[in-house]
Amino acid sequence: MTPSLTEQLRTGNLFAGECPSRDVLKHVTSRWGVLILVALRDGTLRFSDLRRRIGGVSEKMLAQTLQWLEMDGFVDRVAYPVVPPHVEYSLTPTGQQVSEKVAALADWIEVNLPEVMAARQQREGKDAA
Amino acid sequence: MTPSLTEQLRTGNLFAGECPSRDVLKHVTSRWGVLILVALRDGTLRFSDLRRRIGGVSEKMLAQTLQWLEMDGFVDRVAYPVVPPHVEYSLTPTGQQVSEKVAALADWIEVNLPEVMAARQQREGKDAA
DNA sequence: CGGAATCCTCGATGATACTG
DNA sequence: CAGTATCATCGAGGATTCCG
């Protein structure tokens, strides 16, 4: 309970139901939010680039999730007034920080997927045993 | 595209829509999954402990999310055959690894919440400006 | 106490069509 | 190309009740 002296000032509290930090968490850990943040780590990408890169996203959800992340200050959107439209998305400095954490989680899952799958198998006949 | 020699074997691919890693990500980053994994870092907790600790969870979702995490091998469930029932939840070794990543993200959000809130304010009058 | 079962709501997500 | 608008769907999540 008592925060250590070295602990940074913790303004938000995710365990409190009404804390706005819950919204930020929701955006970042949303189905496509995670993948967008990870994808943009490679650099600036266009809308269609992201769409191709992230398997299964619809245009709608990609646009909406990008807006969430843009509102939270994680993603920077630059639209060039040309025809046809040209819009580039990139991570803000703040966005790079979150994406780092998110990517670490994503990486862990991708690397340790076999162990998780194995664990599920174990559970299969657990009751019967 | 070409993985570095030092890169660990990456079995899963979150960018592929059909990859089972998507399910793991869904469980871990679910609304309550994140908070459960973080809460259990402090040690073994009972069902009711978790319920009190995590503001806003319903019994149903707590139970369901715990089952997801248990199936994935992240959470260990021990039920003592006594009356009234006594069930303890704790992190498995694998679970401790994911929770580490998840907690890092959660911490970042809690600490940097002010900056995110500030970013949102900036966006407020963006169009008008 | 720790659920399981049931019913219900709403938002995330999807599919399609239209536009600057 | 990069959306927006609209309509439809599905499942996460919630409220309530019942049980060992």
Side-chain angles (χ1 to χ4, degrees), chain B residues 50-127:
Chain B
L50 283 167
R51 185 127 155 68
R52 262 186 302 276
R53 197 135 167 179
I54 302 175
V57 229
S58 63
E59 289 186 356
K60 176 189 169 183
M61 287 314 300
L62 181 55
Q64 180 175 314
T65 308
L66 280 168
Q67 286 175 11
W68 288 344
L69 297 176
E70 188 191 357
M71 275 182 34
D72 290 342
F74 297 142
V75 166
D76 192 27
R77 177 183 185 274
V78 178
Y80 297 90
V82 296
V83 176
H86 184 106
V87 181
E88 293 185 342
Y89 291 93
S90 59
L91 291 177
T92 63
T94 307
Q96 293 185 26
Q97 292 182 38
V98 229
S99 73
E100 192 180 317
K101 311 297 182 182
V102 172
L105 173 61
D107 284 347
W108 190 94
I109 292 178
E110 289 185 334
V111 171
N112 297 79
L113 180 60
E115 302 174 34
V116 176
M117 298 299 280
R120 286 189 190 167
Q121 295 302 325
Q122 300 288 328
R123 299 284 163 185
E124 290 297 320
K126 187 194 168 195
D127 302 324

Side-chain angles (χ1 to χ4, degrees), chain A residues 13-23 25, chain B residues 31-36 39 45 47-59 61-62 110:
Chain A
N13 176 17
L14 285 169
F15 288 97
E18 352 68 35
C19 184
S21 59
R22 286 270 178 100
D23 293 328
L25 184 69
Chain B
R31 180 169 183 189
W32 309 115
V34 173
L35 300 180
I36 290 174
L45 290 177
F47 187 85
S48 49
D49 291 332
L50 283 167
R51 185 127 155 68
R52 262 186 302 276
R53 197 135 167 179
I54 302 175
V57 229
S58 63
E59 289 186 356
M61 287 314 300
L62 181 55
E110 289 185 334

Side-chain angles (χ1 to χ4, degrees), chain B residues 15-36:
Chain B
F15 288 98
E18 352 67 37
C19 185
S21 59
R22 286 272 178 100
D23 293 329
V24 181
L25 184 69
K26 176 175 289 185
H27 297 162
V28 170
T29 62
S30 69
R31 180 169 183 189
W32 309 115
V34 173
L35 300 180
I36 290 174

